[in-house]
């Protein structure tokens, strides 16, 4: 029997039964693990007629046309499958308009470049789901279940969209997202991991809210892998993307998610190699993955790392010798000498990509007269513009302030408040009026419940925030 015939028969059987376990499918069609994975992927992702339930059961959803025009066959459903059947929505229903326009533009470019043959792209796939949601919503009607699960799904999708990823599927208690296609980004592995970290952070806050209402928390697990897909088309009406995975590109991300413990993020060795330095990892050793012949190295993402740019990552591995640029270096040195005697200076370096602008500043800061610039009595603060930072207002300014106050990712809110308040008041007690604006910018809750800052006009608040930063650094420059 051809595999295409197995797919047709399995689809018909699932439609007739409504629900089938993976074990029964293996016995019915004599499938090994790899062929079962392909069948599952075809029914869920290729034909969009089924959804997975707890990694054990396939639940029939029907084609889009049948869901629109035909009544659902009457059958007994678990709480989770009730939620899933109501949440099978096209990507256009939850994709922000600005991303939808870019996706449609990508389709037009794809048609111009490759016609109908499709285009091979390297992407990073992300799977995320809520562990224990079935027990949480057991006994609840669908409306109550959705009131709990929907906010969690929205948090996941918001994190993906923040870093310009594409939510390919949002069903039940999880999502499947792609970074790098259909919207192209060269830093798609970093974007996927930043999105995963943000999901976990937001889910912890949401779980705290659930606890306060007497409900159990919703721990989430995330799996990520980088690989290749062939993007064939993007439907402009509902933004559905027709793609074909190359090898185990998307399957491994799903496997990582299934291996992850609640509250963790697991990635494959390839994703780790592309993002090492940008993030902190814990090696978990080799793991045998179902459907893959050789054991694979698995890593857990612990948080954002200290490095932000490709130059910083390259520096940890060793840079080539810096040659030339004596004239440019002398100009920057003269500006520094002017600044040291009280005449503030701004130096801008312009040039085509790849000419070494970042390297020039890197060498100046670290090797001015062959000694680090800090030894010359200079306070050095660094901030960077990164491509995924467009979604974060004032990101370079925030990074600058975090460096000034020595705020790290491990600092909780109390520690951040102590560092900010302590340094400002030690510098000059007259700067106390700047603290509310600095707290707000750096994500610290204002301790005064009567503060007028939350109700302040946004334009006035923005102006006063920049005035506070200006006062702070002008006073620091006098030291």
């Amino acid at each position: 029997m051809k595999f295409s015939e197995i797919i047709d028969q399995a689809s018909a059987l699932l439609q007739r039964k409504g629900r089938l376990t993976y074990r029964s499918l293996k016995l019915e069609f004599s499938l090994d693990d790899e062929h079962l994975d392909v069948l599952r992927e075809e029914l869920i992702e290729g034909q969009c007629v089924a959804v997975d339930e707890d990694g054990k059961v396939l639940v029939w959803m029907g084609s889009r046309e049948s869901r629109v025009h035909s009544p659902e066959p009457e059958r007994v459903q678990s709480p989770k499958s009730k939620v899933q059947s109501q949440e099978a929505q096209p990507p256009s229903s939850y994709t922000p308009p600005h991303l939808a326009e870019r996706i449609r533009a990508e389709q037009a470019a794809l048609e111009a470049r490759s016609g109908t043959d499709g285009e091979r792209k390297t992407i990073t796939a992300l799977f995320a789901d809520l562990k224990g949601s079935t027990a949480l919503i057991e006994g609840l009607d669908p409306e109550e279940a959705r009131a709990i699960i929907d906010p969690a799904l929205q948090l996941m999708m918001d994190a993906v969209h923040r870093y310009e990823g594409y939510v390919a599927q949002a069903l039940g208690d999880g999502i499947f997202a792609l970074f790098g296609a259909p919207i192209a980004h060269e830093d798609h592995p970093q974007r996927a991991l930043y999105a995963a970290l943000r999901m976990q952070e937001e889910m912890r806050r949401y779980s705290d809210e659930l606890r306060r209402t007497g409900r159990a928390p919703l721990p989430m697990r995330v799996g990520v892998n980088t690989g290749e897909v062939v993007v064939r088309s993007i439907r402009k009406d509902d933004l559905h993307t027709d793609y074909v995975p190359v090898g185990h590109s998307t399957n491994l991300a799903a496997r990582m998610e299934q291996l992850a413990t609640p509250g963790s993020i697991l990635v494959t060795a390839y994703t780790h190699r592309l993002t090492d330095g940008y993030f902190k990892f814990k090696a978990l050793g080799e793991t045998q993955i179902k459907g893959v012949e050789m054991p694979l190295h698995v890593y857990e993402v612990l948080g954002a790392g200290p490095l932000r740019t490709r130059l910083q990552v390259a520096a940890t591995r060793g840079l080539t010798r810096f040659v030339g640029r004596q004239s440019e270096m002398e100009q920057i040195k003269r500006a520094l000498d002017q600044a040291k005697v009280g005449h503030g200076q701004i130096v801008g370096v312009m040039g085509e990509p790849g000419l070494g602008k970042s390297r020039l500043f890197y060498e100046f800061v670290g090797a001015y007269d062959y000694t680090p610039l800090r030894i010359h009595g200079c306070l050095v603060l660094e901030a960077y513009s990164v491509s995924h930072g467009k979604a974060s207002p004032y990101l370079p300014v925030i990074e600058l302030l975090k460096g000034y106050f020595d705020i790290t990712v491990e600092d909780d809110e109390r520690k951040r408040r102590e560092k900010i308040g302590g340094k400002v008041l030690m510098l000059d007690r007259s700067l106390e009026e700047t603290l509310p604006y600095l707290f707000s910018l750096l994500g610290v809750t204002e301790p005064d419940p009567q503060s007028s800052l939350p109700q302040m006009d946004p334009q006035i608040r923005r102006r006063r925030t920049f005035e506070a930063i200006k006062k702070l650094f002008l006073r620091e420059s006098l030291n």
Side-chain angles (χ1 to χ4, degrees):
M1 185 187 299
K2 293 182 179 180
F3 192 70
S4 59
E5 296 173 344
I6 293 177
I7 293 173
D8 292 339
Q9 291 186 23
S11 179
L13 179 64
L14 181 60
Q15 183 178 12
R16 190 167 65 252
K17 296 288 188 181
R19 297 164 58 84
L20 287 172
T21 65
Y22 292 122
R23 287 172 58 85
S24 66
L25 284 170
K26 287 181 69 173
L27 293 173
E28 181 72 25
F29 298 103
S30 302
L31 300 175
D32 57 21
D33 288 342
E34 183 175 359
H35 285 85
L36 179 64
D37 285 339
V38 175
L39 176 62
R40 171 186 177 277
E41 188 174 276
E42 176 63 26
L43 295 176
I44 294 176
E45 300 176 11
Q47 299 186 18
C48 298
V49 297
V51 293
D52 175 86
E53 185 176 300
D54 292 336
K56 298 178 181 179
V57 180
L58 270 180
V59 180
W60 174 258
M61 296 293 295
S63 64
R64 282 188 176 86
E65 291 77 10
S66 66
R67 288 200 295 271
V68 172
H69 301 293
S70 302
E72 187 73 14
E74 186 176 351
R75 60 177 182 265
V76 178
Q77 294 178 307
S78 70
K80 184 185 292 187
S81 62
K82 289 181 183 178
V83 175
Q84 286 172 326
S85 65
Q86 295 182 35
E87 289 180 349
Q89 301 172 355
S92 59
S93 65
Y94 48 72
T95 302
H98 71 284
L99 293 182
E101 287 304 313
R102 292 188 59 184
I103 292 172
R104 293 186 178 100
E106 288 284 346
Q107 169 62 14
L110 177 65
E111 293 172 351
R113 289 192 302 267
S114 54
T116 60
D117 294 334
E119 190 169 73
R120 195 177 182 119
K121 287 179 176 286
T122 300
I123 55 90
T124 298
L126 179 151
F127 280 87
D129 83 333
L130 303 171
K131 184 67 174 176
S133 62
T134 304
L136 177 65
I137 63 178
E138 189 71 42
L140 301 179
D141 62 38
E143 288 72 22
E144 289 179 298
R146 288 177 64 87
I148 296 172
I149 300 298
D150 279 3
L153 281 175
Q154 191 61 51
L155 292 176
M156 296 181 195
M157 291 190 288
D158 288 347
V160 171
H161 293 146
R162 182 183 184 87
Y163 294 97
E164 299 187 347
Y166 167 73
V167 179
Q169 287 181 315
L171 292 169
D173 59 354
I175 66 168
F176 166 48
L178 297 176
F179 293 82
I183 300 176
H185 293 292
E186 64 177 14
D187 60 345
H188 54 84
Q190 293 98 296
R191 288 173 179 263
L193 296 195
Y194 279 123
L197 288 171
R198 185 171 181 85
M199 284 182 202
Q200 293 288 19
E201 180 183 354
E202 294 296 327
M203 198 58 64
R204 283 190 286 270
R205 292 196 182 101
Y206 182 54
S207 292
D208 289 341
E209 294 179 12
L210 291 176
R211 287 190 188 95
R212 286 193 289 270
T213 60
R215 297 194 180 277
L218 275 176
M220 182 179 64
R221 54 186 184 176
V222 183
V224 179
N225 178 54
T226 303
E228 290 187 329
V229 299
V230 176
V231 179
R232 297 200 180 280
S233 67
I234 306 166
R235 291 206 295 257
K236 293 183 180 181
D237 55 347
D238 62 2
L239 300 184
H240 175 79
T241 298
D242 178 19
Y243 68 93
V244 178
V246 177
H248 297 285
S249 55
T250 58
N251 189 40
L252 281 179
R255 293 286 182 240
M256 293 299 102
E257 178 255 319
Q258 292 164 6
L259 287 173
T261 57
S264 68
I265 304 165
L266 295 191
V267 304
T268 59
Y270 186 36
T271 303
H272 167 262
R273 185 164 68 251
L274 294 172
T275 56
D276 191 22
Y278 298 103
F279 300 88
K280 297 176 183 177
F281 293 94
K282 176 183 177 182
L284 301 181
E286 289 187 338
T287 302
Q288 185 64 53
I289 306 297
K290 186 169 69 173
V292 181
E293 184 176 350
M294 300 296 293
L296 299 179
H297 287 279
V298 178
Y299 297 83
E300 180 180 355
V301 183
L302 301 180
L307 308 181
R308 292 291 180 271
T309 67
R310 284 182 293 182
L311 179 64
Q312 290 176 326
V313 173
T316 63
R317 301 167 183 166
L319 296 170
T320 58
R321 191 163 65 92
F322 186 66
V323 179
R325 303 298 185 194
Q326 288 85 0
S327 172
E328 292 87 347
M329 191 70 81
E330 286 299 326
Q331 292 181 59
I332 302 176
K333 288 179 182 179
R334 287 196 294 270
L336 173 64
D337 292 337
Q338 288 290 310
K340 290 173 70 174
V341 296
H343 302 289
Q345 302 288 303
I346 295 176
V347 177
V349 177
M350 296 180 291
E352 294 296 322
L355 284 183
K357 301 184 294 295
S358 299
R359 180 68 183 274
L360 178 65
F361 280 118
Y362 174 84
E363 294 294 332
F364 176 72
V365 170
Y368 172 59
D369 286 346
Y370 305 103
T371 56
L373 193 58
R374 292 175 176 87
I375 296 178
H376 289 265
C378 299
L379 170 64
V380 179
L381 301 175
E382 297 179 89
Y384 306 93
S385 294
V386 290
S387 60
H388 60 260
K390 290 184 290 186
S392 303
Y394 313 124
L395 181 63
V397 177
I398 292 172
E399 291 296 319
L400 197 73
L401 289 170
K402 283 182 176 179
Y404 176 71
F405 291 114
D406 193 27
I407 294 174
T408 65
V409 293
E410 290 82 13
D411 292 336
D412 57 19
E413 186 170 311
R414 182 182 63 82
K415 190 69 173 178
R416 294 200 301 270
R417 184 182 290 110
E418 289 175 355
K419 286 184 174 182
I420 299 167
K423 185 152 188 171
V424 168
L425 296 179
M426 284 183 63
L427 179 64
D428 192 332
R429 294 200 68 87
S430 67
L431 294 173
E432 186 173 2
E433 64 181 16
T434 67
L435 285 176
Y437 302 98
L438 297 174
F439 285 149
S440 175
L441 192 60
L442 293 170
V444 177
T445 304
E446 172 59 47
D448 181 9
Q450 304 300 320
S451 173
S452 61
L453 201 60
Q455 289 77 38
M456 188 177 293
D457 179 79
Q459 293 299 323
I460 297 175
R461 180 173 173 175
R462 179 177 182 274
R463 186 181 72 249
R464 291 185 180 178
T465 298
F466 282 114
E467 287 174 354
I469 297 170
K470 181 179 177 181
K471 287 179 182 178
L472 175 68
F473 286 132
L474 282 176
R475 178 61 185 84
E476 178 64 54
S477 69
L478 299 177
N479 286 358

